Amino acid sequence: MNVKAAALALSALLGAATPAAAQNLNLRVMAPASPGGGWDQTSRAIQTVMQDEGIAKPVQVFNVPGAGGTIGLAQLYNSKGDGNLLMTMGLVMVGAIQTNSSKVDLSRVTPIARLTGEYEVIVVPASSPYKTLGDLATAWKANNALAFAGGSAGGTDHMLVGLFAKAAGVDTKKMNYVPFSGGGETLAAVLGNQVAAAVAGYGEFEAQIKAGKLRALGISAPRAQAGIPVPTMKSQGFNVDLANWRGIVAPPGISGSQKATLVSAMDKLHASKAWKDTLKTRNWTDLYMSGSRFDVFLKLEAVRTREILKDIGLVK
């Protein structure tokens, strides 16, 4: 066989091997929430990129909504040893495990990777007298009844208000937090001056900030974010850093080789141009970490979240 023929044969062999390898990894990805939300969107983005890149085929997404993701978490726990099952989750679930007194926590699953995140912003109406985060903190200390709007009780928005209160010297157990079930209701409340301030991911307020209807006073990122002209809370003297992150876990009881295969699949996903394009298109912040680093992060995040929820009186 000449060199050219050998090269063609090797190329054909490698080309045939790639789909075969992908076919061996038949994944099911659980979104433990209703269709349309952040966990569902993340799950379906994973599905698209993995299939298009040949990382896994097929990839099926299914929804198990309820109780901040803890119903899905219990189902994942009961799928012990299933190396073809993944679940999308995130900070909201870390909190929901504690506020819902879930019998299953994240020590019972196999961490795979943290994928993305979104930083939170604190906004006020454009007509508000508060021009800076310091102005808002001063007024809040003088009047503990100052109302903040955000998502569900115990969620990321509520946690951020608790962290801000603690950093500002406000009694966290007496703060006036008004929870809403959806971002649209939170937006209506702050635009209608029904609350002094509101909290959500930057993307939920971006259009109104750019239109001059809302003033963003601070973002919960550790450093300034490209393309987001909002000062960090840290840069204004408030030691607050919080991301509404999303990640992937697998059932307990899978083998070391099964975990390695799943971590490798997520590493390939993250390295692909298609995933980078997805992050850009959806305006998701890349917070990737995988393997043992994510194991440690999850343990630390569970401890931190419990401390925050204790401070705001939601858990004992």
Side-chain angles (χ1 to χ4, degrees), residues 113-116 263 266-267 270 286-290 293:
R114 185 181 70 179
L115 291 173
T116 66
V263 170
M266 299 313 299
D267 287 345
H270 176 252
D286 186 359
L287 294 179
Y288 192 73
M289 68 166 61
S290 64
R293 288 182 62 215

Side-chain angles (χ1 to χ4, degrees), residues 57-251:
K57 287 183 179 180
V59 180
Q60 298 176 328
V61 173
F62 64 103
N63 299 82
V64 182
T70 57
I71 292 176
L73 177 62
Q75 185 168 315
L76 186 82
Y77 174 71
N78 289 328
S79 301
K80 295 176 184 177
D82 187 345
N84 291 311
L85 177 62
L86 294 172
M87 182 181 74
T88 303
M89 46 73 73
L91 179 59
V92 171
M93 181 179 288
V94 179
I97 287 167
Q98 300 182 46
T99 56
N100 287 291
S101 300
S102 173
K103 292 181 180 179
V104 180
D105 62 26
L106 294 170
S107 69
R108 306 285 190 92
V109 302
T110 305
I112 301 298
R114 185 181 70 179
L115 291 173
T116 66
E118 185 176 22
Y119 293 110
E120 302 266 296
V121 289
I122 297 176
V123 300
V124 295
S127 59
S128 170
Y130 313 125
K131 306 297 183 185
T132 68
L133 209 55
D135 292 343
L136 181 60
T138 299
W140 201 10
K141 282 189 281 188
N143 177 14
N144 215 143
L146 217 62
F148 284 72
S152 59
T156 309
D157 303 343
H158 198 174
M159 286 189 228
L160 182 66
V161 176
L163 287 171
F164 178 38
K166 190 171 184 178
V170 172
D171 187 341
T172 54
K173 289 185 173 65
K174 293 182 180 178
M175 65 189 198
N176 185 8
Y177 181 78
V178 184
F180 290 98
S181 59
E185 294 176 1
T186 300
L187 183 60
V190 68
L191 287 174
N193 290 286
Q194 298 168 30
V195 293
V199 176
Y202 175 76
E204 293 193 45
F205 291 143
E206 183 177 17
Q208 287 71 30
I209 292 169
K210 288 182 175 178
K213 294 179 180 179
L214 292 176
R215 182 184 304 123
L217 302 184
I219 188 167
S220 65
R223 61 191 68 84
Q225 298 295 292
I228 302 179
V230 181
T232 66
M233 299 177 74
K234 283 190 170 184
S235 70
Q236 299 176 76
F238 301 96
N239 189 23
V240 176
D241 174 359
L242 187 72
N244 185 16
W245 57 268
R246 298 187 184 115
I248 289 289
V249 295

